[in-house]
Amino acid sequence: MKTFSMTDVGRKREINQDYMYTSEAAVGSLPNLFLVADGMGGHAAGDYASRFTVEKVVDYVLNAAKSEPILVLGEAIREANYLLYQEADKDSEKKDMGTTIVAAVVSGSQLYTANVGDSRLYVINHEGITQITRDHSLVQEMVRMGEMNKEDAKEHPDKNIITRAVGVMPEVAVDFFETSLRAGDLVLLCTDGLTNMVEDEEIRRIVLEQRDMVEMAEKLIQKANENGGRDNITAVLIDLQLSI
């Protein structure tokens, strides 16, 4: 397995409210762990929310008795959600803060993913780019219900409004996905600072044209900034180097 991660404040924001964690080595009972979070909230509350959530998820995983990735990730995110909600409740400066999170664990050729919000996980190969996660956002809910087409959703003024986030309520619903990976697959975890600035097919083209993952991440962030860089940008790339 090879991985590389990079984050950038973008061209419009003063604070980077994205936060990430990557470990190719075992974390507690899990064989590896990859996390990306995109905080929201005034002043530095979003920065606090994303960092706090990622750190609490890692802490939970390190001490988890269970070993099934989906169960561990689900319990870790729900625990972090409740703790973050309590933090917001006792500090007026952190009121209404929250964060997205996308989490991934790889075991053999199986990819286990969990997400809340609109940070995404993709599987990329020479055949295409597949979004594994499901966005919890207002416009994507409208697209799923047939009330809006995908092209209109891209330019909708409310496209950044998310319908589910960590820390906003005492309980949170987490979506889970299990994916079988094949030789040649690359995994990308990222925040909407990338996906709102660069189309999926352009992401795929950039990834496949580079020599290594360092160049992939650099070029993805460069393109997002060239297209406006309106938000923080984070990308985590995973190459399992499968030979199956």
Side-chain angles (χ1 to χ4, degrees), residues 45-184:
D47 175 41
Y48 181 90
S50 58
R51 178 187 290 267
F52 180 95
T53 299
V54 167
E55 289 177 348
K56 293 304 179 185
V57 167
V58 173
D59 287 346
Y60 189 94
V61 171
L62 282 169
N63 296 290
K66 298 176 182 176
S67 59
E68 300 87 343
I70 292 298
L71 291 178
V72 175
L73 291 177
E75 291 178 358
I77 293 170
R78 286 188 285 267
E79 174 72 6
N81 173 82
Y82 183 66
L83 294 173
L84 185 65
Y85 176 79
Q86 288 184 314
E87 287 287 306
D89 192 48
K90 67 185 182 185
D91 187 343
S92 60
E93 291 188 359
K94 296 184 176 70
K95 188 178 185 298
D96 298 325
M97 71 175 172
T99 184
T100 70
I101 191 165
V102 56
V105 173
V106 180
S107 180
S109 61
Q110 293 302 112
L111 170 67
Y112 301 93
T113 308
N115 86 290
V116 177
D118 62 356
S119 294
R120 294 179 177 178
L121 183 144
Y122 293 94
V123 173
I124 302 169
N125 53 41
H126 286 282
E127 296 174 6
I129 177 169
T130 303
Q131 181 182 337
I132 302 300
T133 50
R134 173 175 170 172
D135 291 356
H136 304 131
S137 68
L138 181 64
V139 295
Q140 289 302 317
E141 294 290 350
M142 295 172 72
V143 169
R144 282 192 285 269
M145 291 187 292
E147 297 176 3
M148 183 185 302
N149 63 47
K150 290 184 178 180
E151 292 305 313
D152 290 340
K154 292 175 184 176
E155 304 300 326
H156 197 281
D158 295 331
K159 69 178 182 178
N160 291 326
I161 297 177
I162 60 176
T163 56
R164 200 188 301 178
V166 173
V168 176
M169 301 292 288
E171 296 182 359
V172 69
V174 186
D175 283 356
F176 302 101
F177 308 88
E178 183 175 347
T179 310
S180 295
L181 298 174
R182 299 175 298 168

